[in-house]
Every structure is written in C-alpha cells, then in structure tokens.
Amino acid sequence: MAGNELKLSCRFAGDMTLVARSDSGHWTIMDVAESVGGNGGAMAPFEHLFAALAGCTGSDVLYVMRKKRIVIDDLRIEIVAHRVDTHPKIADKIHIHFIFVGVDIPAVAAEKAIELSQTKYCSVTAMIKATCEITTSFEILTPSEARAQFASKK
C-alpha cells in the first residue's frame, strides 16, 4: 500500500475460482460452493470479509497487550455472523468472541484491548459497523484449560 491508497487486482482462475493480489504482493484464493458452480475449494469472498475482521481486530488486541507487556500464549477469535434472508444477503449482526490463553492475564486489560480495537484502531470494524451491529465477548483460559477445551472441539 502506497500512502493512503490500496491497490488490488483479482482474476479468474477457472470454474468459479478467483485469485486476488494486493500491492503488498500477497495472494488469496476465493471460490464458491458447488451448489452455485464452484468447487468449494477456498473461502468464499463473503467469508474473507470475516477473516479480515478477525485478523484486523486480533492484531490490534495482540499489539495492545504486548505494549502492556502482557504475555499471551494464544489468542483465538471466533465470529458468528447472522445473514439476512434476502439478496444481497448481508450480515446484520456479528458477534466476535475472543479467547485469550495464558497465565495471569488481567481481564481488565483484555477488555480494554478489545475496546480500543473496536472503537479506535480496527479499520475493518469501522467499515462494517456502519451497516451492522457488532458485539464482543471474551474469556481467559489457562494453557491447561485451553488444551482441554480445544481438544473437545475437534
């Protein structure tokens, strides 16, 4: 990205698959479900929006926690988006759940990091919340609690 401008190109890659490359030089692949002519071989474009949301807010939260010198062993972000029934099937409600893993992570610090991301830093949140309700929650787990919880989700 040069200055305040981001450039991205997207091209057809066969069937219903598209590949996009940003001016950072990184690529991403998008596909759609078989039911609409795709192969289901990659995240759909709409799913990329939520991956971007998780990545944006997650990197903000990690940055704020590191600035506070709080050690995070793992951070998981789970998003549930509710879509309307009619086209365009936009999301009208999004819930972001943060799972912090570590020893002695102060809840007040986790809450403040999420708040700063959601209200000040995350550009993806800022764009989405103009048309969609976004709520957040979090939990803090010790490493052993996380192993038990994440193993049960497999």
Side-chain angles (χ1 to χ4, degrees):
M1 186 162 86
N4 289 334
E5 187 175 86
L6 177 134
K7 293 182 180 178
L8 181 136
S9 63
C10 186
R11 63 181 279 207
F12 173 65
D15 294 324
M16 293 289 284
T17 303
L18 297 163
V19 294
R21 182 176 185 262
S22 70
D23 56 2
S24 68
H26 299 298
W27 294 85
T28 191
I29 301 170
M30 296 167 277
D31 199 358
V32 295
E34 291 179 17
S35 62
V36 290
N39 296 308
M43 283 196 297
F46 197 66
E47 292 171 310
H48 275 269
L49 177 66
F50 300 103
L53 176 59
C56 184
T57 193
S59 59
D60 291 341
V61 166
L62 288 170
Y63 178 80
V64 170
M65 297 297 270
R66 286 183 180 157
K67 289 286 276 186
K68 293 180 180 191
R69 301 184 195 285
I70 298 169
V71 177
I72 305 294
D73 295 333
D74 193 5
L75 175 65
R76 299 205 178 194
I77 300 151
E78 298 176 349
I79 293 180
V80 176
H82 176 266
R83 294 180 82 170
V84 299
D85 292 330
T86 58
H87 287 284
K89 294 182 178 183
I90 64 168
D92 62 349
K93 294 178 187 170
I94 301 170
H95 184 74
I96 309 168
H97 183 67
F98 297 82
I99 304 169
F100 293 84
V101 179
V103 178
D104 297 325
I105 297 172
V108 67
E111 187 172 33
K112 183 65 175 177
I114 293 166
E115 177 192 338
L116 285 169
S117 174
Q118 293 298 295
T119 61
K120 185 174 182 180
Y121 297 123
C122 182
S123 55
V124 179
T125 294
M127 290 184 70
I128 293 173
K129 75 178 179 183
T131 60
C132 182
E133 175 189 349
I134 299 176
T135 58
T136 62
S137 61
F138 72 94
E139 64 185 297
I140 300 171
L141 303 174
T142 65
S144 60
E145 291 169 333
R147 280 190 297 277
Q149 181 174 321
F150 299 148
S152 70
K153 287 187 176 182
K154 287 184 180 178

